[in-house]
């Protein structure tokens, strides 16, 4: 996502304090975040409350650079081989953290739009990878419950060890989840639908409808018109498809409203990923581009489409839907 100005005015200091966190890592982060808050008049003036989401985005974007004690207690960054597997060969710890904060804020925006408070939500994230987004929900671990669903068994196992405030399940590419019907307030999909074949996406949309209570929120990121435009212009990460290949397929995207490219087998300098690639069924994992017409037609059988945030950070779109 693009760099943003996080010092928007948020009113005067409301005196709010953070709830107690039973998770040891979360408690340590909260303690340092509180010390930083008390020491910085500029942050208190800019955000108004220590519970304001933009303060937590600031911590990820700037606080980790400025405060070694915050870096020392922050949630672990995944090892390089899992970072590559989940975010691409050019992934780096800083972009992992910063992009996670941005996507978290957009998911929060979607929950707010549906009237679902993150503070008390029973929330499921699909395509958790190594908790790039869900770790930011950890600040609500005292009062909310979180379940991460992941296609990669290694990533799910890493999350179980390093993000103890949530539970994590390994699931097949097209589901189902095995979770109980109608018991959740929100499902978020901050990155998987950019990589999952449309047929598998639709299976998960149906599964989200099964999991959510009436009025529950579904927030999904996807590659829309702005990503297509930038990809064709050569501003996307390397690999598949090449800009000229996508350009040639644009008439088909317009006609069929969804376009899917299968990725070639993973080639990696990491031995763990070379071994993983030999056994992984990647037939449903590639690069997917969607039009708004596809969202409006295919995702609304059980959902009302409330809003599409079109490239708010200069890259992917976010669809905000509410369970009928």
């Amino acid at each position: 996502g693009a760099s943003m100005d996080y010092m928007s005015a948020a009113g005067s200091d409301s005196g709010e304090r953070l709830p107690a966190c039973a998770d040891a890592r979360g408690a340590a982060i909260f303690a340092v975040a509180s010390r930083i808050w008390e020491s910085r008049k500029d942050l208190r003036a800019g955000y108004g409350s220590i519970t304001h989401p933009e303060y937590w985005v600031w911590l990820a974007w700037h606080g980790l650079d400025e405060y070694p004690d915050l870096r020392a207690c922050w949630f672990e960054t995944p090892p390089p081989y899992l970072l590559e597997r989940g975010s691409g060969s050019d992934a780096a710890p800083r972009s992992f953290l910063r992009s996670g904060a941005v996507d978290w804020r957009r998911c929060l925006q979607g929950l707010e739009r549906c009237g679902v408070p993150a503070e008390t939500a029973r929330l499921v994230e699909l395509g958790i990878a190594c908790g790039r987004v869900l770790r930011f929900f950890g600040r609500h671990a005292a009062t909310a419950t979180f379940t991460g669903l992941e296609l990669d068994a290694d990533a799910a196992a890493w999350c179980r060890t390093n993000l103890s405030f949530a539970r994590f399940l390994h699931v097949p590419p097209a589901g189902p989840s095995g979770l109980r019907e109608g018991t959740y307030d929100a499902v978020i999909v901050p990155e998987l639908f950019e990589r999952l074949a449309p047929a598998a996406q639709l299976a998960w949309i149906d599964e989200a409808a099964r999991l959510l209570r009436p009025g529950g929120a579904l927030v999904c990121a996807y590659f829309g018109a702005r990503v297509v435009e930038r990809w064709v212009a050569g501003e996307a990460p390397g690999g598949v498809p090449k800009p000229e290949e996508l350009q040639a397929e644009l008439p088909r995207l317009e006609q069929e409203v969804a376009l899917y490219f299968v990725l070639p087998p993973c080639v990696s300098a990491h031995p763990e990923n070379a071994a993983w690639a030999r056994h992984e069924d990647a037939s449903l994992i590639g690069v997917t581009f969607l039009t708004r017409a596809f969202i409006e037609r295919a995702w609304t059988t059980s959902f009302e489409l409330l809003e599409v945030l079109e490239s708010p950070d200069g890259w992917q779109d976010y669809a905000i839907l509410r369970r009928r």
Side-chain angles (χ1 to χ4, degrees):
S3 176
M4 289 178 282
D5 174 17
Y6 288 119
M7 285 298 292
S8 54
S12 60
D13 187 355
S14 65
E16 287 182 80
R17 291 296 175 262
L18 297 167
C21 184
D23 180 75
R25 177 62 62 97
I29 293 170
F30 279 23
V32 177
S34 298
R35 286 203 302 272
I36 294 170
W37 179 260
E38 295 300 331
S39 71
R40 292 284 296 266
K41 186 177 180 180
D42 59 330
L43 299 179
R44 296 198 302 275
Y47 300 124
S49 165
I50 195 171
T51 62
H52 197 292
E54 300 299 348
Y55 172 58
W56 293 82
V57 176
W58 181 91
L59 288 173
W61 273 68
H62 306 293
L64 289 171
D65 288 340
E66 294 183 27
Y67 292 94
D69 52 344
L70 184 63
R71 280 199 306 279
C73 66
W74 198 260
F75 291 114
E76 298 291 338
T77 302
Y81 77 95
L82 284 179
L83 198 59
E84 177 189 75
R85 207 185 289 181
S87 302
S89 58
D90 60 344
R94 176 176 287 197
S95 62
F96 175 86
L97 288 168
R98 287 183 165 187
S99 66
V102 171
D103 278 339
W104 168 70
R105 186 64 187 100
R106 296 302 172 194
C107 288
L108 271 190
Q109 194 173 345
L111 268 57
E112 291 162 2
R113 180 75 170 80
C114 293
V116 174
E119 292 81 3
T120 55
R122 294 161 298 176
L123 182 142
V124 174
E125 181 182 340
L126 172 60
I128 190 79
C130 287
R132 183 181 64 90
V133 175
L134 194 68
R135 63 187 58 215
F136 289 95
F137 280 100
R139 62 182 289 249
H140 302 307
T143 51
T145 60
F146 304 105
T147 303
L149 305 178
E150 174 50 37
L151 281 55
D152 183 340
D154 296 336
W158 186 90
C159 286
R160 286 187 204 107
T161 300
N162 292 283
L163 301 174
S164 57
F165 66 86
R167 66 170 173 159
F168 299 94
L169 303 174
H170 177 224
V171 294
S177 67
L179 298 175
R180 214 166 124 205
E181 179 176 353
T183 55
Y184 295 90
D185 302 305
V187 174
I188 60 170
V189 194
E191 58 182 318
L192 182 63
F193 285 176
E194 300 162 3
R195 303 185 291 125
L196 200 61
Q201 286 182 15
L202 295 182
W204 279 113
I205 294 289
D206 289 344
E207 179 68 353
R210 189 186 71 81
L211 295 177
L212 287 168
R213 61 167 174 78
L218 173 62
V219 185
C220 304
Y222 66 94
F223 285 165
R226 179 63 175 144
V227 172
V228 170
E229 177 185 304
R230 291 188 62 181
W231 206 290
V232 168
E235 297 173 11
V240 175
K242 291 183 167 55
E244 58 273 17
E245 291 171 335
L246 180 56
Q247 176 78 57
E249 294 287 357
L250 291 185
R252 189 158 71 89
L253 175 60
E254 189 171 337
Q255 183 180 3
E256 298 180 14
V257 301
L259 201 55
Y260 173 63
F261 293 85
V262 178
L263 291 178
C266 173
V267 177
S268 174
H270 298 289
E272 300 95 337
N273 285 353
W276 166 79
R278 284 197 297 273
H279 302 289
E280 188 73 2
D281 175 12
S283 59
L284 295 176
I285 302 294
V287 179
T288 298
F289 303 94
L290 304 177
T291 63
R292 180 158 181 162
F294 179 86
I295 306 300
E296 291 171 347
R297 185 184 76 193
W299 289 7
T300 53
T301 306
S302 303
F303 291 93
E304 176 189 2
L305 179 62
L306 297 186
E307 189 174 356
V308 173
L309 306 176
E310 295 184 348
S311 186
D313 309 306
W315 190 240
Q316 73 267 46
D317 295 355
Y318 302 80
I320 303 169
L321 304 103
R322 183 165 55 204
R323 180 72 168 95
R324 294 186 195 280

